[in-house]
Structure formats: C-alpha cells, structure tokens
Amino acid sequence: MPAGSAWCQPALLLLLSCVPLRAAEISCRNEDGETVDWFALYKLPKHAKGQIPLLGLEYLYMDALTPQWQLGKYLINMSQGALGQTLQQLYETYESKAKMCVSLQRNTTAYAIYNDEIPESDSKGSKCGHTKGFLLLDKSQGFWVIHSVPLFPPNPEDGYGYPSTGESFGQTAICITFKYDQFTEIDQQMLSYNPGIYSCSIPDIFQADLPNLQKLCAKSRLPSPPLCHLSKLQSAQGETFLHFAKSHLFIDDIYVAWMAQELKTDLLAESWQRSGEKLYSNCSLDYHVYNINTIGMPLNSTFHSINDHSKWAVSRKYKDQWTCIGDLNRAAEQAWRSGGFICTQNEQIYKAFRHLIIHYESCTSA
Ligand SMILES: *[C@@H]1O[C@H](CO)[C@@H](O)[C@H](O)[C@H]1NC(C)=O
Ligand SMILES: *[C@@H]1O[C@H](CO)[C@@H](O)[C@H](O)[C@H]1NC(C)=O
Ligand SMILES: *[C@@H]1O[C@H](CO)[C@@H](O)[C@H](O)[C@H]1NC(C)=O
Ligand SMILES: *[C@@H]1O[C@H](CO)[C@@H](O)[C@H](O)[C@H]1NC(C)=O
C-alpha cells in the first residue's frame, strides 16, 4: 500500500458510508417507504358518522401506484405514514449524526417549510401567504407537499409529529415528485405566494435557479410580485399540473374570480367556513362555484363541511375532471391573502374526490 493510505482509508470509509443515504432519489414516499410520483391524503374529522373509528387521526390515502382511496395503514401522527416517510428524507439529510455525510448533503440539498401558523410560535403570520407546505430537492429532483394543517410539520430538528390542534377537523395534503427543472417554476410561484417560511436551507448552488426561495429563506427583500401567476408543472413521471398563485394584491375570491373561469369549469368547493365572512355559492360569472356541505367517505362515514379544514375543489361535471387542492378558503377575508392551488385532470384523483361529495348548495339557497 502506498504511503498516505493510512489517513485516506478512514476518509474513504466515511464517504462510502454516505452512499446509502444518497442512493435513493428525493421523492414522495408511500406508507411502505417506496418512491411514488404523487400521493394525496384526506385526514378524517373527529366528528363524522360511520364505521371508521374516530380519533381524528385516521386518513384516506391514494397514490400513483394505488390510485383509489384506502384507509391509511397508520395514524397521521405516526412517522410510518406517507407524510412521515416523505419528511424522513429531510431528517436524514439534516439530522444525521454522521457529520461528514451531512455537510456534503447539506451543500447539495435545498429545503423550505412554510405555514401561516408556525409551530412553537405565538404569532400568526397574517402578513405572509395563507399557505402551508414544504419542499425538499437536490439538483436531480425533489418533492413539494401542499397541505392544510396549521402548526405542521414540526421543525426538522424535532423529528416527525402531528399537532393535536390538527385532529378535530378534516385536512388534505398532496405530494408531487418533480425533476429539478420544475423547481425554477415553483420558485416563481413563491414570489406571489409569499410563504411564511420557518425552516429552510437554500445553499448557494441554488442561487441562480431558486432566487425567490433563497431571498425568502434569508428574509431579504423580494422583487414586487405579479398579481397572480399560473404555472404549468410536470411531475417526474409526466403528470401535468397547473399551479395557481395569487398575491395579496389580487383582491378577490380565487375560486370564482380566477380558477373556475380559467379552467372553464363549474367547481364544487370544500373549504373552511368557520372563520370570517362566508361566501355563498356563486353563479354570477360564466363558470359557477358551489359550496359543498356534506362529504361521504368510503366505509359509510359522513361529515358536514363545517368540520372540514381542508381546501379543495372539483369540476361539477364529470367530463371536465379537474381537481384542485390548495391553500385558500371561500371566506371574504381570504381575498386579501396570498396563496394558491395545484390542479390536475388526473382521472383517478378526480374520481376519488368527486365521489366524496354528497351534497352542495345551489346558488338560490344563498
Ligand atoms: C398517536 O395518537 C394516539 C392517540 O392519541 C396515541 O395513542 C399514540 O401514542 C400517538 N402516536 C404517536 C407516535 O405519537
Ligand atoms: C460545504 O459548504 C461549506 C460552507 O458553506 C464549505 O466550507 C464546504 O467546503 C462545502 N463542502 C462541499 C463538499 O462543497
Ligand atoms: C360572485 O363572485 C364575484 C367574484 O368574486 C363577485 O364579484 C360577485 O359579486 C359574486 N356574486 C355574488 C352574488 O356574491
Ligand atoms: C350506513 O350508515 C347508515 C347510518 O349510519 C346506516 O343506516 C346504514 O345501514 C349504513 N350502511 C351500511 C352499508 O353499512
């Protein structure tokens, strides 16, 4: 052996020990820890009638490999669930005790976690967007999760957890895996979104491609945002998504004033109706928006929308097939908040959500 190998070898071993962490690509993960192109989940409210036990932690789950609702194998507070498995990739990168691996990965991995209601903080971010989500990527690919749960997820150093405040009501989440180039589009959306980021790392190698996320992460000044911006995104497996982002200066109901008209479809909308001034079903413009008021889950369980904090909408007509999952409620005050929706015409996602609707309010009932 040549001289020098004595100190080289431990270094080499250390490098090799990094390999398992790097082997799998950053991706949405299902409940078995396998990579999936996308998943959607719907946490049930505590107050539902039916056969599913009601801890407020059970959820319906579907993904690209199993594209119809099934009851989650775990409770939403367990790290084995899809949200926990997906976040685990962030914890591995930023928590691992193998310091050398961490510093290598830290320089090549970017993440941001945002919410208008931040864990372990008293302040409600009314200046930032009414948006909740997180993303993790390297220069190859990554994922983006959009969800409705306040105070979630915990700071990465605290590991996985689910807040008790998120138990009572229904909640939705969608995760999509994207190749790296799509994150420059997502970065553009962040300009209108103005998310309340509470944990992040956007290393310098991302500066050119993710300038807005980097500024948001550094809490430095952003360029002035477009009123609203529509982005066409493609998942790693080629599924098309449309992302609507509105800034706080687009002062209108995103469902009626923009999404329904842009998608040219009547929408049935499910959103939190308990705070602020409720907006009724609206048939004023070409395409109408109706408020859903009763949801029926598989396994014969039903609940009223008043117990639902999730935010989603589907085409009223089956032929249109749009599903949108996002950030904003149909409440008058939300016109002044930034946020958005991610929409798809994936047939299975549409069927899964559309079939949940038992009743919606006609326009005349207002
Ligand atoms: C999840 O919540 C249930 C019900 O409150 C509790 O019994 C269980 O210990 C929790 N699990 C975790 C991992 O927090
Ligand atoms: C990682 O970043 C640190 C400082 O940000 C730098 O000193 C170090 O050389 C970088 N490591 C690699 C492998 O790029
Ligand atoms: C319906 O929504 C549009 C766009 O927000 C609004 O201008 C209009 O006043 C609403 N109509 C009713 C009857 O609320
Ligand atoms: C569904 O629930 C309703 C009311 O709780 C009950 O009357 C009905 O028998 C149930 N149906 C099935 C198939 O379990």
Side-chain angles (χ1 to χ4, degrees):
M1 268 190 173
S5 64
W7 66 266
C8 264
Q9 230 159 359
L12 188 64
L13 278 175
L14 246 176
L15 279 170
L16 286 174
S17 73
C18 297
V19 171
L21 287 176
R22 301 293 301 158
E25 289 189 295
I26 300 173
S27 178
C28 302
R29 302 269 165 158
N30 68 13
E31 300 186 300
D32 298 320
E34 295 162 348
T35 63
V36 286
D37 193 44
W38 55 264
F39 71 70
L41 65 79
Y42 204 141
K43 192 203 70 71
L44 303 176
K46 234 177 209 167
H47 305 286
K49 293 182 190 137
Q51 294 161 356
I52 299 174
L54 302 166
L55 292 167
L57 296 165
E58 301 81 4
Y59 60 91
L60 298 180
Y61 174 82
M62 67 183 292
D63 63 31
L65 301 173
T66 53
Q68 57 292 123
W69 289 129
Q70 45 198 275
L71 192 59
K73 291 182 198 162
Y74 305 98
L75 298 174
I76 200 152
N77 65 346
M78 298 167 74
S79 58
Q80 297 98 317
L83 283 170
Q85 297 269 8
T86 300
L87 278 162
Q88 183 57 33
Q89 297 165 94
L90 173 67
Y91 306 149
E92 277 168 8
T93 304
Y94 288 88
E95 284 190 322
S96 166
K97 287 185 179 67
K99 288 203 174 77
M100 187 160 173
C101 301
V102 170
S103 76
L104 282 170
Q105 282 185 41
R106 278 191 174 179
N107 286 6
T108 55
T109 312
Y111 82 95
I113 309 180
Y114 57 92
N115 203 310
D116 55 300
E117 293 179 60
I118 297 173
E120 293 166 42
S121 158
D122 298 332
S123 66
K124 272 204 181 187
S126 56
K127 283 201 172 127
C128 67
H130 192 271
T131 85
K132 301 168 174 57
F134 47 92
L135 45 83
L136 174 73
L137 63 141
D138 61 19
K139 284 237 167 172
S140 163
Q141 64 171 42
F143 62 77
W144 186 16
V145 171
I146 294 171
H147 67 86
S148 65
V149 188
L151 312 173
F152 176 83
N155 283 299
E157 54 272 27
D158 297 332
Y160 187 75
Y162 186 84
S164 58
T165 50
E167 290 175 8
S168 289
F169 306 113
Q171 309 283 359
T172 37
I174 183 168
C175 180
I176 305 166
T177 306
F178 292 107
K179 295 284 183 205
Y180 180 65
D181 63 345
Q182 300 297 290
F183 284 94
T184 55
E185 276 291 321
I186 294 170
D187 182 76
Q188 277 298 309
Q189 298 302 82
M190 291 297 157
L191 192 51
S192 308
Y193 243 52
N194 189 27
I197 292 180
Y198 60 92
S199 178
C200 56
S201 168
I202 311 288
D204 286 341
I205 58 160
F206 297 98
Q207 193 161 27
D209 298 329
L210 310 177
N212 297 312
L213 275 166
Q214 198 175 54
K215 288 193 187 79
L216 283 160
C217 183
K219 306 224 177 296
S220 60
R221 209 181 146 84
L222 285 173
S224 55
L227 270 189
C228 58
H229 192 254
L230 186 61
S231 256
K232 192 172 172 179
L233 298 170
Q234 209 170 47
S235 73
Q237 296 295 317
E239 195 75 50
T240 299
F241 291 86
L242 277 185
H243 187 258
F244 290 81
K246 89 173 195 64
S247 80
H248 69 289
L249 298 170
F250 180 100
I251 304 167
D252 212 333
D253 172 17
I254 189 172
Y255 292 85
V256 175
W258 191 17
M259 287 201 294
Q261 313 314 314
E262 178 75 37
L263 299 174
K264 302 197 185 329
T265 187
D266 291 348
L267 288 174
L268 308 179
E270 178 77 347
S271 77
W272 181 240
Q273 297 176 15
R274 290 207 198 194
S275 59
E277 183 195 332
K278 176 179 167 156
L279 295 176
Y280 292 95
S281 293
N282 183 315
C283 298
S284 299
L285 304 184
D286 287 353
Y287 294 95
H288 304 168
V289 175
Y290 301 90
N291 292 336
I292 297 167
N293 54 20
T294 317
I295 294 284
M297 292 285 175
L299 304 174
N300 200 15
S301 124
T302 63
F303 60 86
H304 294 291
S305 299
I306 199 80
N307 290 315
D308 200 357
H309 190 257
S310 67
K311 299 124 195 2
W312 55 274
V314 287
S315 293
R316 185 168 65 91
K317 296 194 185 112
Y318 281 79
K319 69 174 176 52
D320 294 347
Q321 292 210 351
W322 281 106
T323 307
C324 300
I325 298 171
D327 300 309
L328 293 163
N329 301 313
R330 290 209 67 228
E333 290 77 0
Q334 299 259 293
W336 281 272
R337 300 298 294 275
S338 56
F341 278 85
I342 195 142
C343 304
T344 171
Q345 278 183 304
N346 176 287
E347 187 184 347
Q348 282 126 348
I349 297 178
Y350 178 72
K351 277 190 187 151
F353 278 89
R354 182 66 180 85
H355 286 153
L356 298 176
I357 300 167
I358 292 184
H359 190 259
Y360 59 89
E361 294 168 3
S362 63
C363 279
T364 49
S365 71

